[in-house]
Amino acid sequence: MAPLLKVKNMTHFFGGLRAVDNFNLEIEAGQIYGLIGPNGAGKTTTFNLITGVHTPTEGTIELEGEDIKGLEVHRIADKGLGRTFQNLALWRHMNVLDHIRMAHYSRLDYSLFGAFLGSPKCHKREREVIENSRRLLDLFDVGRFADQLVGNLPYGAQRRVEMARAMATNPKILFLDEPTAGMTPDELNRMIEIIRQVHRDFGVAIFLIEHRMKFVMELCESVQTLVFGEVIAEGPPAEIQNNPKVIEAYLGKEDIH
Amino acid sequence: MEMIKNFLRQFTVVPLVGWLIGSFVAVLLEYYLGDAISYYLYLPKIPVLFGALTMLKEPLLIPSVLAYDLIIYIVPVLLLGRLLAAFSNRVATWFEALPLWLATVVHLAAFYGILHLWAGINDYRVLVVKLTMVAIILTVSLNIINGYQGEFSCSHPGFMALGAYASSSLTLMLFADDKMFGAALLPPALGPWLFPLILIFGGAVAAIGSLVVAIPSFRTRGDYLAIISLAFMFIVKSAIENMEFLGGPRGMSSQPNYATLPIIFIWTMLCIWIIHNFISSTMGKALNAVRDNEAAANSMTVNTRKTKMTAFMFGAFWAGVAGGLFAHVLRYVNPGTFGIQKLAEILAMVYFGGLNSIYGSIVGAVSISVLGEALRPLELFKWIIIPLILILVMIFRPYGLISFTEINVKGLMRPKNRSRSGGAE
Ligand SMILES: Nc1ncnc2c1ncn2[C@@H]1O[C@H](COP(=O)(O)OP(=O)(O)O)[C@@H](O)[C@H]1O
Ligand SMILES: [Mg+2]
C-alpha cells in the first residue's frame, strides 16, 4: 500500500535562493514525524510546498498515492491535509466557535441559495456543524471561550483553538508549524499532552516542525534535520540527537536539549 | 444628570410592542388633530419631517415646532409606552410563545401600518420614506463587500445604474406606450405582478456587470479593487450618456408607478432577511475569514476566490435591485445621478453606520437620509455637516457607530418586565 504522504525529490527556488533542496519524505498513516533545523533552514517553506501555498520547482507530492502537486490550497486541505501556522493565523474579528465552524466549509452540503433563504437543509447542517464544533472546543479545553473573540484568549488557548480548527477539517495528516513557539514550560508540557491525545483519539498522522529537542524526543518516531534547505540527517530522535552534524548545525544557535 | 438617568430608567420596562402602540396612537393623533394643532400653534401646515425644515427656514417658529413635536409625538409615545408597559409586556410574552417568524412578521406588519399612516399624511414623506428604504438596501449590500468582505469597492452607483436602466427599459418596453420603445408588448395590468421579476432582472444585470470588476480584481494578488471599481462607475455613467437609445444624458422617464410604499417595504425586508441569513451561515462567515486572514481561510478548505466573487456579485445584485426601485420611485433616471456624489452618500452611510453590521447599515442609511433631507435648505452646508459627522465617527469609532453587531430579533421583541436571566423582578 502507498504511504499516506510521499514527497520525492522536492526542490524549490525563491529567485536564486535554493530554499529546499531535494527533499524526500514518507509518512505512514498514524505516524508522528518531526522536522528540525535552525532558523531559515527552509522548514516552513517545506510545509508551504506540501500544502500548496507554493508549487515546488521540481519533485512530486502524493497523498495516498494521488498526485496533489499544483492543486489549490483549499483543495489540498479538503483532501485531508490540516495545518497550523508558525505565527498564529487566527481571524481577529471572529469568535472562537466561528473559527471551528469555518473549518467545515468544504463539507457544507447546502447550496448558496439554501444559505440565502435559510433552507431547512441549511439549518440542519449548521446545527450539526455547531454541535461538532462545540465538541471539538471541549476536547481542546477551550469550550468556555466559544463566544469570545480569539484575541481575548491567553496565548496557549489561542494555540489550542488553532489546533482544534485544523482538526475540524477532518485531516488525515496534521501539519504543526512550531506548535510550542513562545510557550512557557507549563504550556509546553500541556501541548505535548494535547498532541498525544489528538494522535490517540483521532488516529491522525502528525508532521511537526520543532525547535526544542525535548519536544521532538518525547513525541516523534522519526525525525529529519534540515539545514540550508538540505536534509543532513534522518532517523529516530535518539540517533539524531547524537549525530555530530546535527550538533554542529545547532551549536551556538539553539539549546539542543 | 441623575434626574435624566432616573427618568430614562422608567422606560427600560417598555417592550417593542409598547413603543409600537405608542407610535400608533401618536400617528392617529396627528392624522386626526394634526391640522388643528398646527393651526393653533401658528404653523402653516403639519410639519413634514418633525419640523426640521420649518425650523431652518423660519427660526421664529422654532418654539411652535417643538411644541408640536412634544404634543403629537414625544408625550404620547412616552406616556402611553410607560402607562401600558404592564399590558404590552403581557402581549410580548404572548408573542414569545409564537414561532419566531410569525412574531416577526406581525411586528413588521404593525410597524408598516404605522409607517404607512405617518407617511400618508404628506406626499413628501412618502418620497422620503421610499428613498430611505432604497438607501437601506444600498447600504446593507455595500456593507457585504466593504464590511464583511473587507474590500473597498466604489462601484455601487454603477451597479445601481445597471439595475435602474435594465429594469426601466423592461417595464417601458413591456407595459407602457412610450416614444422610446413603442407600444406596450404585454397588457399593462400584468405590470405590477411581473415587477418582482423585472427587479430581479435588473439585479441580475448588475451582478453580471460586476464580473467586469470582480474577475480582474480577484484574479491577481494585490489590491486593485478600489481603482478598478471606481473606473467601472465612471465607465457605466459615460457609456449610458452615450447611448442614445437609452435617452443619453437626458435620461429615461415615465416609468409606471410600480414602486409603491408596501412594495418597497417588502423588498427592503426581503433584502435584510436574505443578507442576514447569508452572513450568519458558515458559508457567509467565510467572507470574514477571507478578510481577516486569507491564507488561513484557504488552509481551512475555504475556496477564497469563489467566496470573494460570490460576495461581490451578491452585493451588486442588491445594488441593481435598489437601482430598479429607485428608478420606479422617481419615475425618471438620468446617468448624472449615478456619479461620485451618490458614491460618497452610500459610502458615508456604510462607514457612519458601522462595518460588518446590518443593524449599523440600517442606522447609517436612515440617519444620513433623514439628516440629508432635513438639511436640504442648507444645500451647501449639508456637504460640510455630513462629512464632519463622518470624521468625528471615524476618530472615535473607527469601524462606525454600530460595527460587528448583528440583529437579535428575539432579543428585540422580548418582554422587558423580567431580568435577562429570566427571573421575575
Ligand atoms: N515567500 C518567500 N519568498 C522568498 N523567500 C522566502 C519566502 N519564504 C521563505 N523564504 C526564504 O526561504 C528561507 C527559508 O525560510 P523558512 O522556510 O521560513 O525557514 P524556517 O521555517 O526553517 O525558519 C529563508 O531564507 C527565507 O528568507
Ligand atoms: Mg519557520
Side-chain angles (χ1 to χ4, degrees):
Chain A
M1 215 184 83
L4 180 60
L5 179 68
K6 183 171 175 182
V7 179
K8 257 180 81 180
N9 305 329
M10 183 171 76
T11 298
H12 191 65
F13 288 90
F14 285 122
L17 174 76
R18 191 193 292 263
V20 172
D21 183 22
N22 199 25
F23 182 85
N24 287 283
L25 174 76
E26 278 192 21
I27 300 182
E28 303 291 342
Q31 201 180 8
I32 303 188
Y33 201 100
L35 184 63
I36 61 172
N39 264 330
K43 304 184 297 296
T44 300
T45 305
T46 306
F47 265 29
N48 285 341
L49 289 171
I50 302 175
T51 54
V53 178
H54 311 297
T55 305
T57 320
E58 280 167 41
T60 60
I61 308 168
E62 286 173 9
L63 189 68
E64 294 184 312
E66 184 190 352
D67 183 15
I68 58 167
K69 184 175 133 176
L71 291 185
E72 287 168 291
V73 176
H74 67 92
R75 297 282 309 281
I76 295 180
D78 186 40
K79 285 188 183 296
L81 218 148
R83 77 171 290 182
T84 65
F85 295 81
Q86 182 170 353
N87 308 306
L88 289 172
L90 296 167
W91 299 304
R92 68 194 186 106
H93 294 293
M94 284 168 69
N95 71 26
V96 170
L97 179 66
D98 287 348
H99 273 73
I100 318 299
R101 283 174 73 184
M102 192 49 57
H104 294 79
Y105 182 92
S106 66
R107 287 163 291 146
L108 299 172
D109 56 0
Y110 53 82
S111 69
L112 186 60
F113 287 88
F116 290 161
L117 302 177
S119 68
K121 196 172 177 186
C122 168
H123 279 297
K124 179 170 163 286
R125 183 69 187 132
E126 290 289 342
R127 267 199 305 277
E128 291 164 2
V129 166
I130 289 174
E131 198 178 305
N132 190 46
S133 303
R134 289 200 185 277
R135 191 179 59 81
L136 276 164
L137 284 178
D138 286 337
L139 217 61
F140 286 87
D141 194 22
V142 278
R144 63 188 176 286
F145 300 121
D147 296 327
Q148 296 199 25
L149 293 182
V150 273
N152 300 342
L153 272 56
Y155 183 72
Q158 293 191 20
R159 282 259 170 215
R160 295 201 299 279
V161 169
E162 214 197 14
M163 203 128 128
R165 182 179 71 173
M167 287 315 295
T169 63
N170 206 8
K172 295 177 178 125
I173 179 164
L174 179 63
F175 281 43
L176 301 174
D177 196 345
E178 307 206 15
T180 67
M183 279 192 168
T184 61
D186 264 1
E187 288 174 324
L188 180 112
N189 286 328
R190 185 140 184 224
M191 189 45 95
I192 292 181
E193 270 324 297
I194 288 170
I195 293 175
R196 282 226 174 91
Q197 188 194 340
V198 167
H199 183 237
R200 195 178 55 231
D201 294 354
F202 293 87
V204 66
I206 294 175
F207 183 27
L208 63 86
I209 292 178
E210 239 332 301
H211 257 122
R212 311 194 211 199
M213 259 301 183
K214 170 180 188 288
F215 197 76
V216 174
M217 288 287 291
E218 288 212 19
L219 282 169
C220 298
E221 292 146 39
S222 190
V223 179
Q224 286 198 17
T225 311
L226 209 57
V227 176
F228 294 128
E230 220 176 322
V231 177
I232 57 164
E234 182 174 5
E239 254 174 52
I240 294 282
Q241 198 182 10
N242 296 320
N243 185 315
K245 278 206 257 178
V246 175
I247 293 173
E248 190 200 320
Y250 264 80
L251 208 65
K253 289 202 174 84
E254 314 282 334
D255 178 10
I256 194 160
H257 292 288
Chain B
M1 209 53 222
E2 197 55 31
M3 235 178 73
I4 296 175
K5 249 188 212 158
N6 276 331
F7 178 71
L8 288 178
R9 196 167 305 136
Q10 290 290 310
F11 298 100
T12 53
V13 294
V14 182
L16 188 59
V17 198
W19 295 123
L20 287 176
I21 296 173
S23 316
F24 179 63
V25 173
V27 170
L28 278 185
L29 214 60
E30 181 168 55
Y31 191 82
Y32 288 111
L33 301 176
D35 281 317
I37 293 173
S38 322
Y39 174 79
Y40 286 115
L41 289 171
Y42 305 105
L43 292 167
K45 58 178 175 29
I46 294 180
V48 179
L49 282 177
F50 309 106
L53 286 116
T54 318
M55 288 197 280
L56 285 172
K57 275 190 200 147
E58 298 193 43
L60 277 179
L61 286 177
I62 288 178
S64 297
V65 168
L66 292 179
Y68 181 90
D69 285 346
L70 215 60
I71 296 170
I72 296 282
Y73 300 111
I74 300 173
V75 172
V77 171
L78 291 182
L79 206 64
L80 278 168
R82 184 66 191 88
L83 287 179
L84 294 179
F87 167 73
S88 41
N89 272 315
R90 224 173 312 141
V91 177
T93 312
W94 184 74
F95 271 126
E96 233 180 3
L98 293 180
L100 188 60
W101 69 267
L102 188 59
T104 312
V105 168
V106 173
H107 274 79
L108 283 176
F111 174 69
Y112 177 75
I114 296 165
L115 192 68
H116 191 100
L117 259 178
W118 180 79
I121 290 171
N122 182 302
D123 281 346
Y124 176 64
R125 279 187 189 172
V126 177
L127 184 66
V128 172
V129 171
K130 282 179 174 177
L131 291 179
T132 302
M133 287 195 287
V134 170
I136 291 176
I137 300 181
L138 286 169
T139 311
V140 176
S141 60
L142 186 60
N143 206 341
I144 298 173
I145 301 166
N146 288 29
Y148 291 93
Q149 167 75 71
E151 310 277 352
F152 193 88
S153 167
C154 300
S155 40
H156 244 48
F159 300 147
M160 208 183 153
L162 290 181
Y165 271 86
S167 56
S168 296
S169 321
L170 214 55
T171 42
L172 288 176
M173 205 183 304
L174 296 177
F175 306 113
D177 302 316
D178 82 313
K179 51 190 180 311
M180 233 185 250
F181 298 103
L185 297 175
L186 292 173
L190 273 179
W193 300 101
L194 292 180
F195 189 50
L197 291 182
I198 288 172
L199 287 177
I200 290 172
F201 172 74
V205 169
I208 291 165
S210 77
L211 287 175
V212 174
V213 180
I215 290 173
S217 310
F218 298 142
R219 231 245 204 82
T220 51
R221 274 167 199 269
D223 207 359
Y224 300 107
L225 181 65
I227 300 285
I228 295 178
S229 61
L230 192 64
F232 177 83
M233 184 190 79
F234 285 119
I235 290 168
V236 170
K237 183 167 167 272
S238 45
I240 297 175
E241 270 164 3
N242 286 299
M243 285 184 200
E244 272 311 313
F245 67 97
L246 290 177
R250 290 180 319 284
M252 212 181 229
S253 60
S254 57
Q255 284 90 335
N257 182 23
Y258 294 156
T260 56
L261 198 56
I263 292 294
I264 299 187
F265 184 78
I266 290 171
W267 274 95
T268 309
M269 294 306 126
L270 201 66
C271 166
I272 292 172
W273 179 66
I274 290 178
I275 292 179
H276 177 81
N277 281 341
F278 180 56
I279 53 96
S280 18
S281 73
T282 303
M283 206 177 265
K285 282 178 193 288
L287 308 187
N288 291 342
V290 170
R291 173 196 62 202
D292 287 354
N293 190 326
E294 192 173 341
N298 239 320
S299 292
M300 294 307 128
T301 72
V302 177
N303 186 343
T304 53
R305 191 190 305 153
K306 190 176 124 197
T307 299
K308 287 192 218 173
M309 297 282 253
T310 309
F312 199 74
M313 289 177 75
F314 185 50
F317 171 84
W318 285 108
V321 170
L325 287 169
F326 181 78
H328 288 81
V329 168
L330 298 182
R331 305 177 68 187
Y332 166 72
V333 277
N334 72 349
T337 317
F338 306 107
I340 198 95
Q341 181 156 348
K342 191 99 221 147
L343 175 66
E345 229 175 275
I346 309 173
L347 285 175
M349 290 172 189
V350 172
Y351 288 88
F352 174 75
L355 294 178
N356 207 99
S357 168
I358 292 179
Y359 185 28
S361 281
I362 296 173
V363 170
V366 172
S367 46
I368 298 218
S369 298
V370 173
L371 202 65
E373 283 307 323
L375 298 180
R376 191 172 283 285
L378 303 174
E379 196 52 65
L380 197 66
F381 284 102
K382 178 172 140 185
W383 291 106
I384 298 173
I385 293 169
I386 290 180
L388 212 65
I389 295 174
L390 207 58
I391 290 169
L392 286 177
V393 167
M394 287 299 177
I395 291 172
F396 294 107
R397 292 191 153 236
Y399 294 116
L401 211 54
I402 306 168
S403 50
F404 297 96
T405 312
E406 284 319 329
I407 303 175
N408 175 1
V409 183
K410 205 172 182 141
L412 268 175
M413 298 189 300
R414 87 191 162 87
K416 296 286 174 68
N417 52 348
R418 42 193 150 91
S419 60
R420 250 169 211 287
S421 56
E425 253 177 7

